[in-house]
């Protein structure tokens, strides 16, 4: 049945709906009247919300399941947009009305209230804590939004729209799901009974344009001598681990480091959710798979790692090591797969070593701690520690060399570090990057790989 016909169907329920719509229209009109300077985006979001709140659930389901021809869906939504605009005398130029109709149509056919947030390039993460609490990360800071879902049923409908194209489902039997949007954005979903306050959805947005080391220098995340040094280390086939806390930019930094790998190398990437955007021609991208509803079909990172070693890689790039795959990664680093790179959660370079020890023990092998430390010391050449500061900025805090073992202790040596000297009135962190005046012990390895570094950069 056509949308306008459904809306015009007589009955007491329809009368109540019309009164509800009139009240909403009045409220929205008052909002526009009291503040004529409302932005175009705010006006569009207001129209979008009103349409979503009033569209019958059956039609929302029909839109999500794409059971209607695309042209019929577009006609239905456009007609509804036109009706809303006609019922509310918005102070919008005619040309903008057409633009709003097109954009709202695209949003309704997408992920509902989330579409404006997904299209906002200043937002890097979206955090949904139930249907009426949505936060975003913008420029490194988490802030609340006025975006809301109608109710939990509406939120779960959007969740189903995310996972259905992937052949997945979310229910009480499978309340935890990792997924990926069409643009590559990473999604984590957890629903009741595990989430007590309603469904929680976290979306790590996929950057349309990959950042470069030049961008990071411009942001003040690193300086040029450190950037040139890291480029030389990648080209010289050092094994590097990028460490940092949640949201510190580890994957972004790993992606930038990977861009320095020569195009002649065969690169195999392993990730839980594909985020790396390598531009080289010879790249093989592998991704883990969760177990299906019956509990089968899981492909773990450890299994992918073992398979990758049989694929004749020149470089292995792992998005992140979390558990027992750390042992496989260390074995790869110690058996001729130089130039491997990965990330791991850690608050300091020293803390990273303890984390790796723990992850290796999670592999289930009863290895002596000293043997694990020897593997770490022999396999890892360099640790790059990055952090998100209180002002939202992300900086390389340490570039640290792994020197080797002294007794039972792994010896580390800082080569560069960020020295904070204060906080500005606007909350910005003040400081500078420093060289420690120490020449790394792996200079000979770089020379073997025909990479030269000006030793003066360590004294800047």
């Amino acid at each position: 049945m056509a949308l306008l016909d459904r809306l015009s169907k007589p009955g007491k329920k329809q009368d109540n709906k019309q009164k509800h719509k009139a009240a909403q229209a009045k409220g929205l009109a008052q909002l526009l009247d009291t503040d004529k300077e409302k932005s175009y985006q705010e006006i569009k979001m207001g129209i979008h919300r009103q349409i979503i709140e009033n569209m019958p659930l059956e039609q929302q389901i029909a839109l999500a399941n794409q059971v209607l021809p695309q042209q019929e869906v577009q006609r239905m939504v456009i007609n509804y947009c036109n009706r809303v605009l006609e019922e509310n005398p918005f102070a919008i130029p005619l040309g903008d009305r057409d633009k709003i109709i097109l954009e709202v149509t695209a949003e309704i056919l997408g992920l509902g209230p989330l579409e404006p947030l997904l299209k906002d390039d200043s937002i890097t993460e979206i955090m949904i804590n139930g249907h009426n609490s949505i936060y975003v990360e913008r420029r490194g800071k988490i802030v609340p939004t006025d975006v809301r879902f109608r109710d939990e049923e509406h939120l779960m409908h959007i969740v189903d729209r995310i996972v259905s194209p992937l052949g997945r489902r979310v229910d009480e039997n499978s309340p935890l799901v990792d997924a990926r949007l069409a643009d590559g954005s990473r999604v984590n979903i957890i629903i009741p009974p595990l989430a007590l306050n309603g469904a929680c959805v976290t979306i790590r947005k996929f950057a349309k344009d990959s950042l470069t080391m030049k961008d990071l220098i411009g942001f003040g995340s690193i300086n040029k001598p450190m950037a040139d040094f890291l480029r030389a280390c990648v080209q010289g086939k050092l094994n590097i681990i990028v460490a940092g806390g949640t949201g510190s930019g580890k994957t972004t930094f790993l992606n930038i480091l990977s861009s320095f790998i020569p195009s002649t190398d065969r690169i195999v990437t392993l990730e839980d959710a594909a985020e790396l955007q390598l531009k080289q021609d010879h790249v093989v991208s592998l991704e883990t798979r969760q177990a299906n509803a019956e509990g089968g079909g899981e492909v773990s990172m450890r299994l992918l790692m073992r398979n990758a070693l049989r694929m004749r890689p020149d470089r292995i790039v792992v998005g992140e090591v979390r558990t027992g795959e750390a042992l496989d990664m260390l074995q790869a680093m110690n058996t001729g797969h130089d130039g491997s790179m990965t990330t791991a959660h850690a608050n300091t370079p020293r803390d990273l070593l303890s984390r790796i020890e723990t992850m290796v023990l999670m592999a289930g092998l009863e290895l002596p701690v000293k043997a694990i430390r020897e593997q770490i010391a022999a396999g890892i050449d360099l640790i790059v520690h990055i952090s998100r500061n209180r002002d939202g900025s992300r900086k390389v805090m340490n570039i640290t060399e792994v020197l080797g073992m002294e007794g039972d202790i792994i010896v580390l040596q800082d080569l560069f570090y960020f020295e904070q000297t204060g906080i500005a009135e606007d909350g910005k962190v003040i400081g500078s990057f420093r060289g420690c005046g120490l020449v790394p012990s792996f200079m000979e390895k770089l020379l073997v790989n025909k990479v030269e570094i000006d030793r003066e950069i360590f004294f800047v």
Side-chain angles (χ1 to χ4, degrees):
M1 186 180 292
L3 178 60
L4 294 181
D5 292 337
R6 293 176 61 90
L7 293 174
S8 61
K9 187 176 180 179
K12 183 177 179 180
K13 185 177 180 180
Q14 185 69 22
D15 291 340
N16 291 336
K17 188 178 292 187
Q18 292 290 352
K19 290 179 182 179
H20 181 62
K21 288 171 59 181
Q24 286 183 323
K26 183 179 179 180
L28 191 53
Q30 287 176 347
L31 175 65
L32 295 172
D33 288 339
T34 55
D35 189 358
K36 295 294 185 182
E37 300 300 320
K38 287 292 183 181
S39 70
Y40 172 85
Q41 288 295 330
E42 289 175 320
I43 295 171
K44 185 181 73 175
M45 288 173 64
I47 298 171
H48 181 214
R49 284 198 206 101
Q50 187 171 347
I51 293 174
I52 288 295
E53 289 173 2
N54 286 280
M55 181 174 288
L57 184 59
E58 314 89 79
Q59 293 188 341
Q60 293 187 39
I61 294 173
L63 290 174
N65 295 333
Q66 299 181 355
V67 297
L68 299 174
Q70 184 70 16
Q71 290 183 345
E72 174 65 18
V73 172
Q74 290 179 345
R75 186 191 67 79
M76 181 174 67
V77 176
I78 289 172
N79 286 344
Y80 202 102
C81 289
N82 277 321
R83 176 163 182 167
V84 172
L85 289 173
E86 288 169 3
E87 291 175 347
N88 300 276
F90 297 123
I92 301 173
L94 184 60
D96 284 349
R97 286 168 62 96
D98 295 338
K99 184 179 179 182
I100 284 179
I101 289 172
L102 291 175
E103 293 189 7
V104 172
T105 300
E107 290 170 7
I108 292 175
L109 297 176
L111 295 181
L114 297 181
E115 284 294 328
L117 305 180
L118 291 169
K119 292 179 179 179
D120 188 340
D121 292 336
S122 68
I123 293 174
T124 54
E125 196 135 8
I126 302 170
M127 291 149 277
I128 304 168
N129 310 320
H131 74 279
N132 60 354
S133 177
I134 301 178
Y135 289 77
V136 299
E137 182 187 61
R138 182 181 277 115
R139 288 179 285 276
K141 293 188 176 181
I142 297 175
V143 296
T145 72
D146 60 354
V147 177
R148 299 289 184 271
F149 290 89
R150 185 180 66 249
D151 49 30
E152 280 297 316
E153 184 180 11
H154 184 201
L155 172 54
M156 287 304 301
H157 168 65
I158 297 300
V159 167
D160 288 337
R161 188 181 293 184
I162 292 173
V163 300
S164 293
L166 304 175
R168 309 290 294 280
R169 70 184 188 193
V170 184
D171 52 33
E172 288 190 4
N173 295 324
S174 180
L176 275 169
V177 171
D178 285 318
R180 191 170 67 247
L181 299 181
D183 67 353
S185 297
R186 188 175 69 192
V187 184
N188 174 265
I189 301 168
I190 180 169
I191 67 170
L194 301 186
L196 302 182
N197 298 322
C200 292
V201 182
T202 308
I203 302 175
R204 175 72 60 84
K205 288 179 62 178
F206 187 81
K208 295 178 180 178
D209 299 316
S210 301
L211 293 176
T212 65
M213 191 63 81
K214 184 177 180 181
D215 293 325
L216 296 190
I217 294 173
F219 297 153
S221 300
I222 194 171
N223 66 3
K224 191 173 186 305
M226 294 164 66
D228 291 341
F229 170 70
L230 290 177
R231 178 192 293 269
C233 290
V234 174
Q235 294 175 342
K237 292 192 172 184
L238 297 188
N239 295 321
I240 302 173
I241 294 187
V242 180
T246 301
S248 58
K250 299 184 297 297
T251 303
T252 298
F253 201 87
L254 179 65
N255 196 66
I256 293 173
L257 290 182
S258 300
S259 69
F260 299 144
I261 298 175
S263 58
T264 54
D265 286 0
R266 173 176 167 84
I267 309 168
V268 178
T269 69
L270 293 75
E271 299 176 84
D272 281 324
E275 292 181 90
L276 297 174
Q277 306 173 56
L278 275 65
K279 298 296 190 294
Q280 291 88 338
D281 293 330
H282 201 167
V283 178
V284 179
S285 301
L286 306 179
E287 187 178 41
T288 62
R289 186 175 68 188
Q290 290 184 319
N292 56 30
E294 290 72 35
E298 179 183 9
V299 179
S300 67
M301 184 65 78
R302 290 203 71 185
L303 185 58
L304 284 185
M305 175 67 78
R306 293 170 187 172
N307 189 79
L309 295 175
R310 303 186 184 104
M311 298 175 68
R312 201 270 177 211
D314 290 311
R315 309 268 188 153
I316 297 175
V317 181
V318 181
E320 182 177 351
V321 288
R322 294 187 178 92
T323 56
E325 66 270 7
L327 175 60
D328 301 290
M329 186 76 190
L330 287 176
Q331 289 178 334
M333 289 177 170
N334 281 293
T335 55
H337 294 88
D338 292 337
S340 297
M341 290 182 282
T342 187
T343 73
H345 280 80
N347 295 321
T348 65
R350 176 62 61 181
D351 179 47
L352 172 67
L353 302 182
S354 299
R355 288 270 299 147
I356 293 177
E357 283 183 32
T358 302
M359 287 188 281
V360 170
L361 291 172
M362 293 171 71
L365 300 179
E366 296 182 2
L367 296 174
V369 171
K370 185 174 182 180
I372 295 174
R373 291 178 180 176
E374 288 174 347
Q375 288 281 306
I376 293 172
I380 301 172
D381 295 307
L382 202 66
I383 299 170
V384 181
H385 174 236
I386 59 180
S387 177
R388 183 173 62 177
N389 296 294
R390 59 187 297 178
D391 61 352
S393 65
R394 295 170 171 86
K395 296 184 184 297
V396 175
M397 305 302 291
N398 305 86
I399 297 180
T400 305
E401 178 188 8
V402 180
L403 283 174
M405 296 281 293
E406 281 190 6
D408 293 337
I409 305 299
I410 301 174
V411 180
L412 300 180
Q413 171 179 279
D414 277 347
L415 301 175
F416 298 92
Y417 69 100
F418 176 75
E419 181 181 40
Q420 181 176 331
T421 56
I423 302 290
E425 292 184 0
D426 60 358
K428 292 285 186 181
V429 171
I430 301 174
S432 59
F433 296 102
R434 303 282 188 185
C436 294
L438 299 170
V439 178
S441 62
F442 49 70
M443 293 293 285
E444 184 176 344
K445 182 177 180 179
L446 296 181
L447 291 175
V448 169
N449 288 294
K450 301 180 180 179
V451 177
E452 295 186 11
I453 299 178
D454 183 359
R455 293 172 181 255
E456 293 299 319
I457 66 172
F458 302 109
F459 300 90
V460 176

